[in-house]
């Protein structure tokens, strides 16, 4: 099957690629060399940057699969370590492989004491996403051979194992408590919870309810094909930058409120609605008002034009977790009511704006006892295996090239450069103080 293009009276044919689930892509790799034209698609809403075998999303049907496994089944039965292994190495681990992988993750959880000292120089108000991005990039200083292929698998383990320690240390730093070192007798999630919440004064027992919720949250965030931060990791990795540098860039991209930063903004929005007398209709109308910058955070998605399956799972998990912990969080009811009011409104229905993964996740993070500025860090920890898997897949692709988009130039046409004549005495009105003018 080919696609035909008629441009300036000439007809061109381009090959068509059909994916496993019958998605259709027009292969434009020769478009410019054959036609002189480029495709223009700001935001890449209609542009595929790669082929991939890791994750499949059908936005119209609300389908998400990791290596072919439905998210609902993976979320119900897998451990986060299994999902990491599946996404990164392409198959579910055998029991032997899983034990070996877990053992590696456990024994690489410590960070170099010099790296630990970096925390001392961040201001206490430093956002934990900034710290996570900086510290992950800094890992390449401690593993200088991180660009050598045979080091990649070891660096993958180092990154997965140490990122949770870095995240826990940044939380402890922000609340002025001493760091809690990782323990080798705990699972990945138990170890993380222990580093987050243990205090020297008393033993900390990991709640199975909280541990189960954390495992679910990390799995649901693990990968999501070519989202903004994953595309960033691939672009940075395409220059042959090392894994740590590439993922550090992904962390920064995730931080934005339109992406992973939304989970923090959702809670802040729900608190604003609570403090403003629960006037749901007011905020739904504000979200519709083009003159207002207010958006319903946690709503809408570039791909899902139906329910985000992760939001459906998290809404149910939030109910269960709060009931099991005996927590009555009014923000959960406010979120549910806001969802109801929005989904009765034509504006949201005709634009197919539904709750996304960020709409309910913050309720569970709050129930765990985390502050809102740690929420996006939790998203990043979940997304780590996805970033790593996508980076590895692109680096193992023999046809991969450096990412370098083109543009259509709309600026000034050719004009001569006329240097300033500074020899004349300073004319009246020239500012004597160096002022920023014309910006
Ligand atoms: C994540 O890509 C991924 O997979 C991301 C993610 C992942 O797992 O990696 O799923 C995680 O980032 C989820 C999204 C988190 N962000 C938010 O919740 C922020 C609020 N949502 C929006 O800003 C928006 O919906 C985006 C950013 C998610 C999607 O933006 P798009 O695809 O560019 O859509 P758009 O801005 O062009 O919106 C289309 C229309 C516009 O109205 P019209 O111009 O047609 O009149 O819908 C409106 C938008 O104004 N709209 C909203 C809205 N989201 C879209 N109006 C009010 N509130 C909203 N939240």
């Amino acid at each position: 099957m080919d696609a035909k293009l008629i441009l300036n009276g000439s007809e061109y044919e381009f090959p068509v690629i059909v994916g496993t689930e019958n998605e259709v892509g027009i292969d434009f790799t020769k478009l410019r060399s054959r036609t002189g034209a480029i495709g223009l698609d700001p935001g890449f809403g209609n542009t595929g940057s790669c082929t991939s075998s890791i994750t499949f999303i059908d936005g119209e049907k609300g389908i998400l699969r990791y290596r072919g496994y439905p998210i609902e089944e993976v979320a119900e039965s897998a451990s986060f370590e299994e999902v990491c292994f599946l996404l990164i190495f392409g198959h579910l681990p055998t029991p032997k492989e899983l034990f070996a992988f877990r053992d590696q993750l456990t024994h690489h959880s410590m960070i170099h004491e010099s790296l630990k000292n970096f925390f001392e120089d961040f201001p206490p108000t430093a956002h934990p996403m900034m710290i996570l991005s900086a510290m992950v990039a800094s890992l390449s200083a401690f593993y200088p051979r991180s660009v050598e292929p045979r080091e990649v698998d070891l660096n993958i383990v180092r990154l997965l194992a140490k990122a949770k320690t870095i995240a826990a240390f940044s939380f402890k730093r922000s609340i002025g408590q001493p760091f809690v070192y990782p323990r080798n007798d705990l699972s990945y999630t138990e170890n993380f919870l222990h580093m987050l919440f243990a205090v020297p004064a008393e033993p900390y027992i990991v709640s199975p309810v909280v541990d189960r919720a954390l495992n679910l949250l990390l799995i649901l965030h693990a990968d999501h094909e070519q989202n903004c931060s994953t595309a960033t990791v691939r672009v940075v990795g395409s220059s042959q930058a090392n894994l740590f540098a590439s993922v550090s860039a992904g962390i920064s991209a995730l931080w934005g409120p339109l992406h992973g930063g939304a989970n923090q903004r959702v809670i802040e929005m729900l608190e604003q609605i609570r403090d403003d007398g629960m006037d749901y209709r007011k905020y739904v109308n504000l979200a519709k008002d083009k003159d207002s910058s207010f958006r319903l955070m946690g709503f809408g998605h570039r791909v899902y034009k139906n329910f985000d399956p992760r939001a459906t799972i998290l809404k149910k998990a939030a109910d269960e977790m709060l009931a099991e912990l005996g927590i009555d969080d009014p923000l959960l009811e406010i979120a549910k009511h806001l969802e109801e009011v929005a989904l009765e409104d034509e504006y949201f229905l005709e634009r197919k704006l539904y709750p996304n993964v960020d709409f309910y996740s913050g309720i569970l993070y709050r129930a765990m006892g985390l502050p809102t500025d740690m929420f996006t860090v939790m998203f990043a920890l979940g997304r780590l295996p996805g970033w790593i898997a996508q980076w590895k897949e692109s680096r193992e692709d023999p046809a991969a090239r450096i990412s370098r988009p083109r543009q259509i130039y709309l600026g000034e046409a050719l004009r001569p450069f006329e240097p300033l004549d500074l020899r004349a005495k300073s004319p009246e009105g020239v500012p004597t103080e160096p002022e920023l003018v014309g910006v």
Side-chain angles (χ1 to χ4, degrees):
M1 175 167 68
D2 282 341
K4 278 194 175 55
L5 172 72
I6 297 173
L7 182 65
N8 298 332
S10 301
E11 185 172 295
Y12 305 89
E13 288 195 349
F14 293 95
V16 168
I17 179 170
V18 179
T20 308
E21 298 297 335
N22 298 315
E23 310 134 283
V24 173
I26 302 171
D27 182 343
F28 275 145
T29 45
K30 299 276 188 281
L31 175 67
R32 191 171 187 278
S33 60
R34 293 181 55 203
T35 71
I38 63 167
L40 186 61
D41 184 22
F44 308 128
N46 305 283
T47 297
S49 59
C50 62
T51 57
S52 178
S53 307
I54 299 170
T55 292
F56 171 70
I57 300 174
D58 181 324
E60 280 66 32
K61 296 177 185 159
I63 290 174
L64 169 58
R65 297 184 197 139
Y66 292 160
R67 299 278 186 187
Y69 298 105
I71 190 63
E72 294 79 4
E73 295 176 22
V74 174
E76 181 68 32
S77 314
S79 66
F80 179 59
E81 298 101 315
E82 284 175 281
V83 171
C84 290
F85 193 100
L86 170 68
L87 291 171
I88 294 168
F89 300 110
H91 62 87
L92 282 169
T94 61
K96 189 173 172 215
E97 285 171 326
L98 181 59
F99 290 132
F101 188 56
R102 278 183 168 152
D103 188 63
Q104 280 190 307
L105 292 177
T106 297
H107 289 89
H108 283 275
S109 291
M110 292 271 282
I111 61 174
H112 196 289
E113 283 295 292
S114 303
L115 193 65
K116 181 176 77 80
N117 298 336
F118 286 20
F119 284 91
E120 300 311 316
D121 295 329
F122 290 125
T125 52
H127 195 288
M129 279 296 275
M130 169 257 131
I131 295 175
L132 184 64
S133 179
M135 298 295 264
V136 164
S138 304
L139 287 173
S140 50
F142 292 83
Y143 305 104
R145 295 198 309 276
S146 51
V147 286
E148 290 171 20
R150 60 190 172 78
E151 284 278 302
V152 168
D153 283 359
L154 181 51
N155 285 324
I156 287 173
V157 166
R158 284 172 173 146
L159 180 53
L160 283 169
K162 297 179 193 305
K164 71 178 184 303
T165 308
I166 291 167
F169 281 14
S170 64
F171 171 60
K172 284 300 200 188
R173 167 103 171 96
S174 71
I175 57 176
Q177 286 188 2
F179 295 149
V180 173
Y181 280 63
R183 278 176 32 184
N184 289 352
D185 60 324
L186 299 176
S187 73
Y188 188 94
T189 46
E190 289 169 338
N191 219 345
F192 182 48
L193 290 168
H194 182 263
M195 288 191 280
L196 281 172
F197 298 119
V199 288
E202 57 196 36
Y204 173 77
I205 309 297
V206 175
S207 149
V209 173
V210 173
D211 186 47
R212 198 166 56 245
L214 176 59
N215 185 66
L216 174 68
L217 282 157
L218 293 175
I219 287 174
L220 291 176
H221 287 83
D223 191 50
H224 215 237
E225 55 139 277
Q226 305 312 314
N227 58 84
C228 176
S229 54
T230 299
T232 301
V233 170
R234 277 185 173 255
V235 166
V236 174
S238 75
S239 72
Q240 298 195 354
N242 68 63
L243 175 65
F244 303 124
S246 303
V247 168
S248 172
I251 293 167
S252 297
L254 185 73
W255 192 5
L258 293 186
H259 192 8
N263 59 18
Q264 172 171 346
R265 297 296 182 91
V266 167
I267 293 299
E268 291 160 358
M269 172 185 73
L270 296 175
E271 287 172 335
Q272 184 182 353
I273 293 172
R274 176 198 62 198
D275 299 343
D276 190 18
M278 327 268 224
D279 186 347
Y280 301 100
R281 174 48 57 193
K282 169 183 170 185
Y283 286 91
V284 167
N285 289 339
L286 258 181
K288 294 159 57 177
D289 177 356
K290 294 304 173 196
D291 296 329
S292 153
S293 61
F294 180 82
R295 284 207 153 182
L296 225 46
M297 299 311 278
F299 255 76
H301 200 276
R302 174 63 59 79
V303 175
Y304 288 122
K305 300 308 171 191
N306 195 320
F307 273 87
D308 179 332
R310 302 168 297 177
T312 306
I313 295 169
L314 285 173
K315 181 177 180 179
K316 179 170 173 284
D319 268 331
E320 290 166 356
M321 181 185 186
L322 268 59
E324 286 179 293
L325 294 176
I327 294 173
D328 174 20
D329 185 349
L331 296 192
L332 177 55
E333 289 316 307
I334 293 172
K336 287 180 183 175
H337 203 87
L338 185 62
E339 176 188 351
E340 273 170 32
V341 174
L343 294 186
E344 286 161 3
D345 192 296
E346 207 38 52
Y347 172 95
F348 287 86
L349 294 177
E350 70 187 27
R351 288 169 181 77
K352 300 181 179 177
L353 302 175
Y354 293 93
N356 59 51
V357 68
D358 291 312
F359 192 63
Y360 287 105
S361 57
I363 301 288
L364 288 99
Y365 295 137
R366 266 165 66 90
M368 286 178 184
L370 287 166
T372 47
D373 66 1
M374 277 293 289
F375 290 7
T376 312
V377 169
M378 301 300 285
F379 190 144
L381 288 181
R383 186 51 52 87
L384 265 182
W387 286 330
I388 292 167
Q390 301 271 353
W391 180 90
K392 186 172 183 285
E393 182 180 66
S394 63
R395 293 296 282 270
E396 291 170 351
D397 175 0
R401 305 168 69 203
I402 188 169
S403 294
R404 203 278 184 216
R406 306 302 295 262
Q407 63 164 28
I408 295 295
Y409 175 69
L410 298 178
E412 296 287 345
L414 173 65
R415 54 181 173 164
F417 179 79
E418 288 157 12
L420 278 178
D421 177 1
L422 299 177
R423 287 166 302 159
K425 284 199 179 313
S426 66
E428 287 308 310
V430 171
T432 50
E433 287 303 313
E435 281 176 23
L436 278 180
V437 290
V439 288

